[in-house]
Amino acid sequence: SKAVSFHEKAIAIYEKFLPPDDPLFATSYNSMGVACYERGMYTKAVSFYEKTFERYQDNLPSDCTTLATCYSNISLVYSKLGEHSKALY
């Protein structure tokens, strides 16, 4: 889809010009996860949600609501995939 393609292009540009710990990566990965999730591309969505979590985990306190949202997004995708034990991690 066009949305996924545009997110991929944005991430490719960020990778060329931004340091790896720039917060824009987490935001872009999350947006990509949403775009994939909405199109039923659940395996790809969970990959992007996990990348989002990894970026935020390194830079935010463990009790931050943003991390809670990441956990929720990952859980929703694993539930859609029928991998309920992973959805509870």
Side-chain angles (χ1 to χ4, degrees), residues 6-75:
F6 286 135
H7 286 301
E8 288 172 337
K9 289 177 183 179
I11 290 169
I13 292 168
Y14 293 153
E15 288 173 341
K16 288 181 184 177
F17 298 104
L18 298 176
D21 61 344
D22 192 289
L24 277 176
F25 279 105
T27 302
S28 294
Y29 289 145
N30 189 67
S31 296
M32 185 69 156
V34 170
C36 291
Y37 180 87
E38 290 176 349
R39 284 153 187 81
M41 302 164 60
Y42 301 124
T43 303
K44 199 167 182 177
V46 78
S47 173
F48 282 105
Y49 285 145
E50 288 174 343
K51 286 182 181 184
T52 302
F53 177 78
E54 289 168 8
R55 298 291 173 129
Y56 283 142
Q57 185 180 29
D58 293 339
N59 298 303
L60 298 174
S62 62
D63 62 350
C64 181
T65 58
T66 301
L67 288 177
T69 301
C70 290
Y71 282 123
S72 179
N73 289 344
I74 293 168
S75 179

